[in-house]
Coordinates of all heavy atoms in Angstrom, one line a residue:
G373 N 1.2 6.2 4.3 CA 1.7 6.6 5.6 C 0.9 7.7 6.1 O 0.3 8.5 5.4
A374 N 0.9 7.8 7.5 CA 0.1 8.8 8.2 C 0.7 10.2 7.9 O 1.8 10.3 7.5 CB 0.1 8.5 9.7
P375 N -0.1 11.2 8.2 CA 0.4 12.6 8.0 C 1.6 12.8 8.9 O 1.7 12.3 10.0 CB -0.7 13.5 8.6 CG -2.0 12.6 8.5 CD -1.5 11.2 8.6
G376 N 2.7 13.4 8.3 CA 3.9 13.7 9.1 C 4.9 12.6 9.1 O 6.0 12.7 9.7
K379 N 6.3 11.1 4.0 CA 6.1 10.6 2.6 C 6.7 11.6 1.6 O 7.4 11.2 0.7 CB 4.6 10.6 2.3 CG 3.8 9.6 3.1 CD 2.4 9.5 2.6 CE 1.5 10.8 2.7 NZ 1.3 11.2 4.1
T397 N -0.8 14.2 -4.6 CA -2.2 14.8 -4.7 C -2.3 15.9 -3.7 O -3.1 16.8 -3.9 CB -3.3 13.7 -4.4 OG1 -2.9 12.8 -3.4 CG2 -3.5 12.9 -5.7
G398 N -1.5 15.9 -2.6 CA -1.5 17.0 -1.6 C -1.1 18.3 -2.4 O -1.7 19.4 -2.2
D399 N 0.0 18.2 -3.2 CA 0.5 19.4 -4.0 C -0.6 19.8 -5.0 O -0.8 21.0 -5.2 CB 1.8 19.0 -4.7 CG 3.0 19.0 -3.7 OD1 2.8 19.5 -2.6 OD2 4.0 18.5 -4.1
V401 N -3.8 19.4 -4.8 CA -4.9 20.1 -4.1 C -4.4 21.5 -3.7 O -5.2 22.5 -3.9 CB -5.2 19.3 -2.8 CG1 -6.0 20.1 -1.8 CG2 -6.0 18.0 -3.2
R402 N -3.2 21.7 -3.2 CA -2.8 23.0 -2.8 C -2.6 23.9 -4.0 O -2.9 25.1 -3.9 CB -1.5 23.0 -2.0 CG -1.7 22.5 -0.5 CD -0.4 22.5 0.3 NE 0.5 21.4 -0.1 CZ 0.4 20.1 0.3 NH1 -0.5 19.8 1.2 NH2 1.2 19.2 0.0
I418 N -12.3 22.0 3.0 CA -12.1 20.6 3.3 C -10.6 20.4 3.7 O -10.3 19.8 4.8 CB -12.4 19.7 2.1 CG1 -13.9 19.9 1.6 CG2 -12.1 18.2 2.4 CD1 -14.2 19.2 0.3
N419 N -9.8 21.0 2.9 CA -8.3 20.9 3.2 C -8.0 21.5 4.5 O -7.2 21.0 5.3 CB -7.6 21.5 2.0 CG -6.1 21.4 2.2 OD1 -5.4 22.4 2.5 ND2 -5.5 20.3 1.9
G422 N -8.6 19.4 7.5 CA -7.9 18.2 7.7 C -8.7 17.0 7.2 O -8.2 15.8 7.3
N423 N -9.8 17.2 6.6 CA -10.6 16.1 6.0 C -10.2 15.8 4.6 O -9.4 16.6 4.0 CB -12.1 16.5 6.0 CG -12.6 16.5 7.5 OD1 -12.2 15.7 8.3 ND2 -13.4 17.5 7.8
L424 N -10.6 14.7 4.0 CA -10.2 14.3 2.7 C -11.1 15.0 1.6 O -12.4 15.1 1.8 CB -10.3 12.8 2.5 CG -9.3 12.0 3.3 CD1 -9.5 10.5 3.0 CD2 -7.9 12.4 3.1
V425 N -10.5 15.4 0.5 CA -11.3 15.9 -0.6 C -12.0 14.7 -1.2 O -11.5 13.6 -1.1 CB -10.3 16.5 -1.6 CG1 -11.0 17.0 -2.9 CG2 -9.6 17.7 -0.9
I430 N -10.5 13.9 -6.5 CA -9.1 13.5 -6.4 C -8.8 12.5 -7.5 O -7.7 12.6 -8.2 CB -8.9 12.8 -5.0 CG1 -8.9 13.9 -4.0 CG2 -7.6 12.0 -5.0 CD1 -7.6 14.8 -4.0
D448 N 2.6 10.0 -4.3 CA 2.7 10.5 -2.9 C 1.3 10.9 -2.4 O 0.8 11.9 -2.8 CB 3.7 11.6 -2.8 CG 3.8 12.3 -1.5 OD1 3.1 11.7 -0.5 OD2 4.4 13.3 -1.3
G449 N 0.7 10.1 -1.5 CA -0.6 10.5 -0.9 C -1.8 10.1 -1.7 O -2.9 10.6 -1.4
F450 N -1.6 9.3 -2.7 CA -2.7 8.8 -3.5 C -2.5 7.3 -3.9 O -1.3 7.0 -4.3 CB -2.9 9.6 -4.8 CG -4.0 9.0 -5.7 CD1 -5.3 9.4 -5.5 CD2 -3.7 8.0 -6.7 CE1 -6.3 8.8 -6.3 CE2 -4.7 7.5 -7.5 CZ -6.0 7.9 -7.3
P451 N -3.4 6.4 -3.8 CA -4.8 6.6 -3.3 C -4.8 6.7 -1.8 O -3.9 6.3 -1.1 CB -5.5 5.4 -3.8 CG -4.5 4.4 -4.1 CD -3.2 5.1 -4.4
R452 N -5.9 7.2 -1.2 CA -6.0 7.4 0.2 C -7.3 6.8 0.8 O -7.5 6.9 2.0 CB -6.0 8.9 0.5 CG -5.2 9.3 1.6 CD -4.7 10.7 1.3 NE -4.3 11.5 2.3 CZ -3.3 12.3 2.2 NH1 -2.6 12.3 1.1 NH2 -3.0 13.1 3.2
Q456 N -10.7 5.1 -3.9 CA -9.7 5.6 -4.8 C -8.8 4.5 -5.3 O -8.4 4.5 -6.5 CB -8.8 6.7 -4.1 CG -9.5 8.0 -3.7 CD -8.6 8.9 -2.9 OE1 -7.4 8.8 -2.9 NE2 -9.3 9.9 -2.3
R486 N 6.7 20.9 11.6 CA 7.2 20.9 10.2 C 7.1 22.4 9.6 O 6.2 23.1 10.0 CB 6.2 20.0 9.4 CG 6.3 20.1 7.9 CD 5.7 18.8 7.3 NE 4.3 18.7 7.3 CZ 3.6 17.7 6.8 NH1 4.3 16.7 6.3 NH2 2.3 17.7 6.8
R529 N 2.3 25.0 7.5 CA 1.1 24.8 6.6 C -0.1 25.0 7.5 O -0.1 24.6 8.7 CB 1.1 23.3 6.1 CG 1.4 23.2 4.7 CD 1.7 21.8 4.2 NE 0.6 20.9 4.6 CZ 0.6 19.6 4.3 NH1 1.7 19.1 3.7 NH2 -0.4 18.8 4.6
D531 N -2.8 23.5 7.7 CA -3.4 22.3 8.3 C -2.4 21.5 9.2 O -2.6 20.3 9.5 CB -3.9 21.3 7.2 CG -2.9 20.9 6.2 OD1 -1.8 21.5 6.1 OD2 -3.2 20.0 5.4
R540 N -6.6 14.9 11.2 CA -6.0 14.2 10.0 C -5.6 12.7 10.4 O -5.7 11.8 9.6 CB -4.8 14.9 9.5 CG -5.3 16.1 8.6 CD -4.2 17.2 8.4 NE -3.0 16.7 7.8 CZ -1.8 17.3 7.9 NH1 -1.6 18.3 8.7 NH2 -0.8 16.8 7.2
Ligands
LIG1198 P1 -0.4 14.8 4.7 O1 -0.1 13.4 4.2 O2 0.7 15.4 5.5 O3 -1.8 14.9 5.4 P2 -0.8 15.8 2.0 O4 0.0 17.0 1.5 O5 -0.6 14.5 1.3 O6 -0.5 15.8 3.5 O7 -2.4 16.2 1.9 C1 -2.9 17.4 2.4 C2 -4.4 17.4 2.2 O8 -4.8 17.3 0.8 C3 -5.2 16.3 2.9 O9 -5.4 16.5 4.3 C4 -6.5 16.2 2.1 O10 -7.4 17.3 2.4 C5 -6.0 16.6 0.7 N1 -5.6 15.3 -0.1 C6 -4.4 15.0 -0.6 N2 -4.4 13.8 -1.2 C7 -5.7 13.3 -1.1 C8 -6.4 12.1 -1.5 N3 -5.7 11.1 -2.2 N4 -7.7 12.0 -1.2 C9 -8.4 13.0 -0.6 N5 -7.8 14.1 -0.2 C10 -6.5 14.3 -0.4

Side-chain angles (χ1 to χ4, degrees):
K379 296 187 298 295
T397 42
D399 285 348
V401 164
R402 284 183 289 277
I418 302 170
N419 182 257
N423 291 321
L424 294 182
V425 174
I430 287 287
D448 172 9
F450 175 86
R452 223 150 159 140
Q456 291 177 18
R486 171 157 78 176
R529 254 169 53 181
D531 58 346
R540 282 161 60 203

